[in-house]
Amino acid sequence: MGSVPPTTARSSAGDPVRTLELLWREPGARPSQRGPRQGLTVDEVVAAAIAIADEEGLDALTMRRVAQALGVGAMSLYTYVPGKAELLDLMLDTVFGRMPRSDLSGLPWRERLRAVARDNREMYERHPWVLAVSTSRPPLGPGMLAKYEHELKAFEGLGLDDIEMDDALTYLMGFVHSSAHSAADARASQREDSMTDEQWWAISGPLLARVIDQEKYPTASRVGAAAGAAHNSPYNPDHAYDFGLQRVLDGLGVLIDQRASGTAGG
């Protein structure tokens, strides 16, 4: 599986009109043009591109590479999608549309938000290349809107106005994205290194204890040693996620409680 680079692409960077036409196409649609009947569908092109990005990372994704995977000429691929920018939007929207969505009905609000966070975390684990795409201009296709609709329902009935619902969801998704990126980096580091985090810490921990001046760095020495011993590594992605998500929920809980009591937040 491909490693996760820094942000390397942006969604909605292509022709907006053509992109929206493709995003909202009929499922299984073929290019609407004269000439020989096309042997592929847009969906098949997108599926091949997702498979390449999942396995090799976003840097490996080129129109030529997708064409090779499909067994067609590189130029013929442009009869299906205008270019890589539009293809990337189709890939994102497809992933968003197909990701599992937990049933939120009947759950307390904290459990609803946990479920939304978990669904997104699992999506990033299956498709780590998504972490490398800036979606400040999201692909406005059916997959993206279905995802947004579902996740907003986790905040329904909590007394938040529409802007606050959007803000709260953005806040939650920002945490999940950051956490998933750190976890992906940790997994990539372990794949690229012959030494596991536990092995690295077993060697480094005792060495650090000998060389670090505990009188000069008393707090760092104490806290670092305690954290390293607790996690048996310098960083534990699962612990960081659990701890951070709880703090996110606590913070949103203050706002929700304020709205329930009719008080204004600072």
Side-chain angles (χ1 to χ4, degrees):
M1 183 177 291
S3 60
V4 182
T7 298
T8 59
R10 296 183 180 278
S11 61
S12 299
D15 179 342
V17 174
R18 187 67 183 117
T19 299
L20 285 174
E21 289 175 348
L22 285 166
L23 286 171
W24 290 92
R25 71 196 183 282
E26 290 294 323
R30 299 177 185 272
S32 56
Q33 63 177 41
R34 295 180 180 179
R37 184 176 184 273
Q38 301 297 309
L40 296 172
T41 66
V42 174
D43 300 309
E44 289 168 333
V45 173
V46 174
I50 290 173
I52 292 168
D54 285 349
E55 183 63 28
E56 304 174 35
L58 202 59
D59 286 345
L61 183 70
T62 65
M63 296 292 280
R64 182 175 298 277
R65 178 73 180 82
V66 176
Q68 290 174 344
L70 291 167
V72 299
M75 293 307 298
S76 70
L77 205 61
Y78 291 94
T79 65
Y80 297 91
V81 291
K84 183 177 175 179
E86 293 83 2
L87 177 59
L88 183 59
D89 280 358
L90 292 168
M91 293 164 61
L92 286 169
D93 197 66
T94 298
V95 167
F96 292 156
R98 292 178 180 173
M99 63 181 286
R101 310 199 200 286
S102 297
D103 184 3
L104 306 180
S105 58
L107 295 177
W109 73 264
R110 284 178 179 262
E111 293 308 310
R112 297 202 300 266
L113 268 59
R114 286 185 188 278
V116 167
R118 182 176 61 251
D119 289 345
N120 279 271
R121 189 186 189 208
E122 292 174 354
M123 180 268 291
Y124 286 130
E125 289 176 351
R126 286 191 296 271
H127 308 288
W129 56 270
V130 177
L131 292 164
V133 184
S134 170
T135 55
S136 56
R137 288 184 180 179
L140 299 178
M144 177 76 250
L145 291 185
K147 179 179 186 295
Y148 186 51
E149 174 74 18
H150 171 77
E151 292 167 355
L152 283 173
K153 289 180 180 178
F155 296 90
E156 282 278 33
L158 301 181
L160 305 182
D161 63 31
D162 288 349
I163 303 301
E164 289 171 336
M165 288 174 64
D166 181 76
D167 286 343
L169 178 58
T170 299
Y171 179 51
L172 177 64
M173 291 297 95
F175 162 74
V176 176
H177 183 278
S178 177
S179 175
H181 204 295
S182 295
D185 282 343
R187 289 194 298 270
S189 178
Q190 288 211 0
R191 286 196 302 270
E192 295 164 5
D193 195 337
S194 59
M195 188 179 302
T196 66
D197 280 349
E198 290 78 8
Q199 292 169 332
W200 181 88
W201 184 252
I203 295 171
S204 301
L207 291 175
L208 288 172
R210 288 201 301 269
V211 301
I212 292 179
D213 186 341
Q214 296 189 18
E215 292 185 0
K216 188 175 182 180
Y217 307 106
T219 309
S221 298
R222 186 188 76 245
V223 174
H231 305 317
N232 198 29
S233 69
Y235 176 70
N236 184 317
D238 291 335
H239 174 82
Y241 173 82
D242 292 339
F243 179 88
L245 180 58
Q246 186 60 50
R247 304 292 77 76
V248 169
L249 298 180
D250 289 345
L252 290 174
V254 173
L255 174 64
I256 292 166
D257 289 346
Q258 287 173 344
R259 294 297 173 265
S261 63
T263 58

